[in-house]
Amino acid sequence: MNRQWTEDELYTAELLQELQRKASSLHITDESFLENVRESLPELKQLLIKLEDSLE
């Protein structure tokens, strides 16, 4: 039986997909890997905060 997802579930799934997309764009083979990670951290942190808030 298929059920309808709630708005909260859809929002949470979107946040997780965005986190996954951002993280998967970071490649250890890139010459500037650590710099890229460092630059991505603020946005990743914001997404994690939004994710945490959506689960409260």
Side-chain angles (χ1 to χ4, degrees):
M1 175 167 66
N2 292 335
R3 68 175 183 86
Q4 292 289 71
W5 297 311
T6 66
E7 285 186 38
D8 289 339
E9 289 172 325
L10 290 171
Y11 180 66
T12 299
E14 288 173 10
L15 290 172
L16 287 171
Q17 285 179 336
E18 184 67 12
L19 270 168
Q20 186 176 28
R21 188 183 71 73
K22 298 279 184 202
S24 68
S25 72
L26 301 168
H27 300 282
I28 197 165
T29 55
D30 291 346
E31 198 169 303
S32 57
F33 173 67
L34 292 178
E35 182 181 329
N36 293 344
V37 170
R38 196 173 296 115
E39 290 174 0
S40 296
L41 277 178
E43 191 171 2
L44 292 170
K45 285 178 184 178
Q46 276 303 112
L47 287 168
L48 285 170
I49 289 168
K50 287 180 180 181
L51 180 60
E52 184 177 43
D53 289 346
S54 76
L55 297 173
E56 292 180 355

